[in-house]
């Protein structure tokens, strides 16, 4: 390996693969390596036998009643793509949408006062929704109209409020909304993970609401799997200059990797608790949805952070006919995932198999300007890709010194019509 690369990417997790594609599209020479013999890193997908081996050990075999192993494709960190979100724009930018099929999610739900309620997706659903009483619906409608009409560059739409200074709490109190309404708006529509947004400037909150309302190999990158002990090499100044594996060193100008490759340059900031469940039915009270997101706001459970349910099924080719896979995840607040995830697991109904896991979350602590190492943050507990892509976009700017232009035609990616 005597040729030099602009960037070596270590790990084939989603973030690393998106960055590899973006950098390749930019014309950089990319070598992509992984110490595992499979793609995906932390966010890999497993068949039933692999799932069993990971959680139950090599000696135990899955029950025959669950069906064929190869018909399972269980994503370890499953997330939905927000239709108007940045991941769609990134996928179009890298021109990989021609290899993908999208399927619209059946519904988004929120846990409110002990019940599962559909998050209203239009004004008719909002009027029928049990989430709010009649007078509260009127107040909420006024608030939604304000959000819809708000334009950052048009002071006439601001109603005298500077959203870079006024907090979300102040805006909400102006419209007199009740706590439960704030809960579902903040967590199920604006997708905030806790209530800290209430005391931040309201601009981000309003922009998220508007977004909800509006509803590399291809480019010559080189991939190498099963490259054990990928060791990053540094020069005397502490700058990354290459990666050694099996006695050979590939030279490079920059390293992109997940936290597992440079453990001395990251710190633990929390952990995620997760349950993976195999079922023979959809989640009850979700209108028999095959794909669903259900958000349990922290306040409804007396917690510090939200809990998330994610469900997919055989209709997405991830399980045999008649089988559903549900995931319950949250930012862990204890060392007992079985106890902590119980409120979410209890909403699933009967479960045939359940696997519990916790994994640590890391963030980089290094100065990439000095060591030329660009490390992604660990995946969080959310059921959507927005925080993941925010990290990718920030990393792209650090690596290239450029802002990623995501002003693309969203009609280039469309959901498949077949059910």
């Amino acid at each position: 390996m005597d040729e030099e690369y602009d960037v070596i990417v270590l790990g084939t997790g989603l973030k690393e693969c998106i960055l590899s594609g973006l950098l390749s599209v930019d014309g950089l020479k990319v070598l992509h390596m992984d110490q595992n013999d499979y793609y995906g890193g932390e966010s890999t997908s497993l068949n039933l036998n692999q799932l069993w081996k990971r959680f139950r050990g090599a000696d135990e075999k899955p029950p025959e009643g669950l069906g064929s192993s190869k018909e399972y494709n269980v994503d370890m960190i499953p997330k939905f793509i927000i239709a108007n979100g940045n991941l769609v724009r990134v996928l179009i930018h890298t021109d990989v949408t021609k290899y993908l099929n999208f399927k619209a999610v059946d519904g988004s739900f929120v846990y409110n006062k002990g019940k599962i309620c559909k998050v209203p997706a239009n004004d008719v659903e909002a009027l029928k929704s049990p989430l709010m009483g009649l007078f509260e619906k009127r107040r909420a409608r006024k608030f939604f109209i304000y959000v819809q009409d708000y334009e950052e560059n048009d002071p006439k739409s601001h109603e005298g409020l500077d959203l870079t200074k006024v907090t979300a709490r102040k805006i909400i109190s102006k419209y007199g909304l009740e706590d439960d309404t704030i809960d579902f708006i903040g967590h199920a529509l604006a997708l905030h993970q806790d209530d800290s947004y209430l005391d931040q400037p309201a601009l981000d909150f309003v922009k998220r609401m508007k977004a909800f309302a509006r509803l590399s190999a291809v480019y010559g990158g080189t991939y190498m799997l099963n490259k054990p002990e990928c060791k990053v090499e540094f020069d005397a100044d502490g700058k990354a200059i290459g990666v050694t594996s099996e006695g050979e060193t590939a030279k490079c100008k920059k390293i992109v990797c997940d936290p597992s490759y440079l453990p001395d340059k990251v710190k633990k900031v929390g952990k995620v608790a997760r349950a993976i469940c195999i079922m023979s039915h959809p989640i009850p009270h979700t209108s028999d949805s095959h794909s669903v997101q259900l958000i349990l706001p922290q306040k409804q459970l007396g917690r510090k952070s939200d809990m998330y349910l994610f469900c997919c099924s055989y209709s997405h080719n991830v399980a045999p006919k008649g089988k559903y896979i549900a995931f319950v995840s949250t930012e862990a607040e204890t060392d007992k995932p079985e106890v902590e995830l119980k409120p979410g697991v209890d909403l699933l109904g009967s479960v045939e198999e359940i696997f519990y896991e916790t994994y640590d979350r890391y963030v980089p602590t290094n100065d990439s300007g000095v060591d030329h190492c660009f490390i992604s943050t660990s995946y969080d507990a959310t059921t959507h890709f927005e925080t993941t892509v925010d990290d990718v976009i920030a990393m792209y700017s650090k690596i290239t010194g450029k802002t990623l232009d995501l002003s693309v035609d969203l009609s280039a990616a469309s959901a498949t019509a077949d059910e």
Side-chain angles (χ1 to χ4, degrees):
M1 295 190 198
D2 48 2
E3 54 186 324
E4 183 172 4
Y5 295 87
D6 293 309
V7 179
I8 293 180
V9 179
L10 297 175
T12 51
L14 182 85
K15 292 184 186 184
E16 287 70 38
C17 286
I18 295 174
L19 279 164
S20 181
L22 288 170
L23 298 171
S24 296
V25 168
D26 267 7
L28 296 179
K29 190 174 180 184
V30 176
L31 172 63
H32 203 147
M33 303 167 75
D34 197 315
Q35 58 203 4
N36 299 309
D37 60 359
Y38 55 83
Y39 282 111
E42 291 295 307
S43 52
T44 190
S45 296
L46 305 179
N47 64 32
L48 195 61
N49 290 337
Q50 291 169 326
L51 189 71
W52 232 258
K53 186 178 173 188
R54 174 165 172 164
F55 289 99
R56 303 273 166 88
D59 298 333
E60 204 180 318
K61 294 285 179 281
E64 284 185 15
L66 292 180
S68 165
S69 170
K70 67 177 187 293
E71 288 191 67
Y72 283 87
N73 196 20
V74 183
D75 196 332
M76 288 295 94
I77 305 184
K79 292 177 185 286
F80 290 116
I81 297 175
I82 304 290
N84 197 31
N86 280 332
L87 181 54
V88 172
R89 296 167 188 274
V90 168
L91 294 173
I92 294 169
H93 180 89
T94 51
D95 206 26
V96 297
T97 44
K98 60 166 79 93
Y99 306 104
L100 301 172
N101 281 328
F102 294 90
K103 193 169 163 89
V105 175
D106 295 337
S108 186
F109 294 78
V110 65
Y111 185 71
N112 187 271
K113 294 178 184 163
K115 286 189 177 157
I116 295 174
C117 305
K118 189 173 191 307
V119 176
N122 55 46
D123 52 357
V124 175
E125 283 187 1
L127 285 170
K128 289 181 182 171
S129 173
L131 284 165
M132 297 176 280
L134 180 64
F135 295 110
E136 182 69 354
K137 280 173 181 166
R138 288 180 184 168
R139 289 189 288 269
R141 183 173 178 273
K142 286 181 182 168
F143 172 66
F144 288 142
I145 289 169
Y146 163 71
V147 168
Q148 207 166 326
D149 292 347
Y150 182 88
E151 294 296 338
E152 213 172 334
N153 302 321
D154 179 11
K156 286 203 284 290
S157 70
H158 296 185
E159 296 192 4
L161 298 168
D162 181 354
L163 296 197
T164 61
K165 297 195 175 100
V166 175
T167 64
R169 193 185 296 278
K170 187 86 185 284
I171 295 273
I172 287 164
S173 68
K174 181 183 175 197
Y175 287 88
L177 299 178
E178 295 168 3
D179 280 351
D180 282 333
T181 307
I182 298 164
D183 234 10
F184 102 77
I185 286 174
H187 296 259
L189 299 190
L191 300 177
H192 287 289
Q193 297 176 57
D194 54 40
D195 276 349
S196 58
Y197 77 93
L198 286 168
D199 297 308
Q200 305 290 331
L203 186 59
D204 177 55
F205 169 61
V206 168
K207 279 182 172 175
R208 285 172 178 235
M209 293 280 298
K210 278 179 80 76
F212 185 91
R214 274 200 304 268
L215 285 189
S216 137
V218 178
Y219 290 92
T222 306
Y223 279 78
M224 292 181 184
L225 291 180
N226 202 11
K227 297 299 287 182
E229 296 171 3
C230 294
K231 180 174 179 286
V232 181
E233 303 288 354
F234 297 91
D235 65 13
D237 299 323
K239 189 174 77 190
I241 52 169
V243 174
T244 300
S245 175
E246 298 177 311
E248 291 186 296
T249 302
K251 294 180 184 152
C252 66
K253 300 183 181 83
K254 292 172 182 175
I255 296 283
V256 174
C257 66
D258 68 47
S260 70
Y261 286 86
L262 289 171
D264 58 337
K265 291 181 181 285
V266 297
K267 69 173 180 182
K268 181 180 165 183
V269 291
K271 61 181 179 177
V272 173
R274 179 176 54 207
I276 302 168
C277 309
I278 300 174
M279 314 186 298
S280 294
H281 58 83
I283 297 176
H285 311 298
T286 61
S287 310
D288 293 334
S289 298
H290 280 250
S291 56
V292 64
Q293 165 184 266
L294 169 56
I295 294 175
L296 289 73
Q298 55 177 101
K299 226 183 261 174
Q300 301 290 327
L301 303 176
R303 292 175 49 79
K304 297 192 195 82
S305 46
D306 289 2
M307 194 172 291
Y308 301 90
L309 267 65
F310 177 110
C311 184
C312 48
S313 79
Y314 59 92
S315 68
H316 307 91
N317 298 330
V318 298
K321 185 85 174 147
K323 297 294 182 190
Y324 294 73
I325 300 173
F327 302 79
V328 185
S329 57
T330 190
E331 180 70 18
E333 295 172 11
T334 71
D335 290 321
K336 296 176 178 163
E338 294 91 341
V339 176
E340 203 163 347
L341 295 169
K342 190 175 187 299
V345 173
D346 284 350
L347 296 176
L348 300 178
S350 61
V351 170
E352 287 170 57
E353 296 289 344
I354 188 162
F355 307 89
Y356 288 101
E357 182 179 48
T358 57
Y359 64 88
D360 292 334
R361 283 198 308 109
Y362 295 95
V363 297
T365 54
N366 65 312
D367 182 347
S368 56
V370 173
D371 62 14
H372 292 201
C373 295
F374 302 85
I375 307 169
S376 60
T377 59
S378 302
Y379 299 93
D380 61 26
T382 60
T383 50
H384 51 82
F385 275 121
E386 289 306 281
T387 51
T388 302
V389 181
D390 289 345
D391 186 31
V392 167
I393 293 168
M395 287 179 71
Y396 173 88
S397 295
K398 271 188 178 176
I399 295 163
T400 63
K402 298 191 293 190
T403 302
L404 185 61
D405 179 13
L406 293 178
S407 54
V408 292
D409 177 13
L410 286 179
S411 64
S414 59
T416 51
D418 57 311
E419 285 304 312

